[in-house]
Amino acid sequence: MPVRVGIPRALLYYYYFPLWKKFLEQLGAEVVVSGRTTKGILTRGVQLCVDEACLPIKLAFGHVQDLVDKGVDVLFLPRMVSVARREYICPKFLGFPDMIRQNVSDLPPLIDTAINVRNKDQDIHRFIHEVGAYFGKGSLQSWLAYRSALATHRQYVGLLEQGLLPEEALSALNGKTPAPGSGQEDLTVAVIGHPYNIYDPFISMNIIHRLRESGARVLTADHISEEKVNQGVGRLPKKLFWTLSRRVTGGALIFDHEQSVDGIIHVAAFACGPDSMTGELIERYIRRNGKVPFMNINLDEHTGEAGIVTRMEAFLDMVRWRRAVV
Ligand code: SF4
């Protein structure tokens, strides 16, 4: 019987799930994903997590509990330190496996090997070797498994850059053709924010889907290449060393600079340290330029759907009106 390894549908799931799934399957594991976010999953996460944590971390607790309830044999919670040279992921990712150990009962074993390529890309080999060894594989077998997973990951990133959303790209990887857009969209809106805030339909109040239904084509920072993101962030006087914030800020600034969208919506999470700084930066730059309408949305566990929908509709009305008169 293969080992059942649980991956929470939270945090960096939206970037790395295809890579992790393929890697673990090539090592002989069966991958189990937590369910889609529900009120129950969020409430459980809020109960288990410390009050001071940001919303995505609280939600991730709920997803871990869901996997524990599903009876997985092992939880895959790599300690995400750095995924790019001279950059870091937020410190809350770094401490996540420890927070889970402290606060969740009846846990199965955790695979919490660190991913840290801050100093050199080759440091990923330690991660590959340690995870492979957990499943009794040697260095060569582990490396071949990872190489095959990396090919899938590159395919996935290519699909995102073609304009698909993560769920659509996952379907495309599984051979299913995603439903095309209506082709009737009369404007383009960029939704900017951390992947776990904008792509989780429950936590984001389904904002992307609602925008599409209202006749807007939606772009995110994941629809543009890394090169473009860096061009955008290059407009700042100093380098941002938080990877996720760099992507969000670079995406927003390049959309604004090229005026390739009709409006920009920035989605931030309550109690997010990096967002409190980059959100302010993005807003100042975009408002100073004064070319592209901008709206900030802050999410927390008490955010009401009606309020978000009203603001989004008012924003779209304003964007359409502005286009008609400018
Ligand atoms: S970047 Fe912000 S939202 Fe994401 S885990 Fe860190 S504090 Fe939370």
Side-chain angles (χ1 to χ4, degrees):
M1 279 256 294
V3 179
R4 297 175 75 234
V5 181
I7 298 184
R9 196 187 291 264
L11 300 177
L12 294 185
Y13 163 89
Y14 298 95
Y15 280 168
Y16 295 118
F17 177 65
L19 186 148
W20 290 338
K21 178 172 185 283
K22 186 73 175 268
F23 180 44
L24 293 166
E25 284 178 351
Q26 295 281 311
L27 293 173
E30 178 190 333
V31 170
V32 179
V33 189
S34 55
R36 292 181 193 283
T37 302
T38 59
K39 178 111 184 97
I41 287 184
L42 176 60
T43 306
R44 200 74 189 99
V46 170
Q47 287 164 347
L48 288 167
C49 189
V50 292
D51 289 343
E52 296 73 24
C54 59
L55 178 66
I57 292 288
K58 289 178 180 169
L59 180 61
F61 265 73
H63 280 278
V64 167
Q65 183 62 53
D66 187 57
L67 290 167
V68 173
D69 295 343
K70 284 186 160 90
V72 296
D73 302 317
V74 185
L75 279 167
F76 184 71
L77 302 179
R79 190 180 301 276
M80 305 300 294
V81 181
S82 166
V83 293
R85 295 285 308 281
R86 291 195 220 109
E87 289 184 1
Y88 285 106
I89 295 279
C90 159
K92 285 180 184 150
F93 281 85
L94 204 156
F96 186 64
D98 303 319
M99 291 167 81
I100 290 292
R101 278 202 181 90
Q102 286 299 316
N103 295 292
V104 182
S105 320
D106 303 321
L107 278 178
L110 263 57
I111 297 178
D112 64 346
T113 308
I115 295 182
N116 184 358
V117 295
R118 183 186 180 273
N119 292 328
K120 50 182 190 305
D121 293 346
Q122 289 76 0
D123 286 346
I124 195 70
H125 288 240
R126 198 177 55 81
F127 165 80
I128 298 167
H129 178 75
E130 282 185 26
V131 178
Y134 190 91
F135 295 93
K137 306 289 187 223
S139 294
L140 179 63
Q141 258 179 310
S142 306
W143 171 244
L144 291 175
Y146 187 76
R147 205 172 61 169
S148 151
L150 202 55
T152 305
H153 176 67
R154 290 194 177 123
Q155 232 181 316
Y156 176 68
V157 171
L159 290 164
L160 294 180
E161 287 179 9
Q162 282 170 30
L164 299 189
L165 297 173
E167 287 298 327
E168 295 166 342
L170 287 173
S171 299
L173 282 181
N174 292 329
K176 293 183 201 135
T177 316
S182 69
Q184 306 294 317
E185 299 91 353
D186 64 336
L187 46 85
T188 304
V189 174
V191 176
I192 296 292
H194 297 308
Y196 36 85
N197 289 330
I198 61 174
Y199 297 131
D200 184 308
F202 183 87
I203 220 71
S204 69
M205 315 279 157
N206 222 351
I207 188 165
I208 292 183
H209 181 67
R210 286 178 198 279
L211 285 165
R212 282 177 162 182
E213 276 192 342
S214 305
R217 186 166 81 102
V218 176
L219 293 180
T220 72
D222 302 311
H223 293 146
I224 52 180
S225 65
E226 190 71 4
E227 194 189 341
K228 278 269 177 202
V229 165
N230 288 335
Q231 266 179 37
V233 88
R235 301 174 60 74
L236 296 175
K238 268 186 99 170
K239 181 174 159 52
L240 288 176
F241 53 84
W242 303 115
T243 301
L244 299 180
S245 300
R246 177 180 55 78
R247 287 200 60 78
V248 168
T249 309
L253 297 192
I254 200 75
F255 284 133
D256 177 58
H257 178 65
E258 296 185 343
Q259 294 178 48
S260 48
V261 295
D262 300 295
I264 298 176
I265 299 178
H266 177 239
V267 180
F270 180 69
C272 169
D275 269 355
S276 62
M277 195 260 297
T278 52
E280 185 70 22
L281 260 181
I282 293 170
E283 184 162 3
R284 284 188 186 199
Y285 265 76
I286 293 177
R287 293 211 192 280
R288 192 172 65 193
N289 256 354
K291 300 267 173 48
V292 181
F294 176 81
M295 178 170 76
N296 237 328
I297 288 180
N298 267 297
L299 302 172
D300 70 16
E301 56 266 42
H302 309 296
T303 304
E305 192 168 348
I308 298 283
V309 174
T310 309
R311 289 189 64 203
M312 191 198 79
E313 285 172 352
F315 182 73
L316 288 182
D317 284 349
M318 184 270 291
V319 170
R320 287 195 168 100
W321 168 82
R322 189 176 180 276
R323 274 201 354 175
V325 297
V326 174

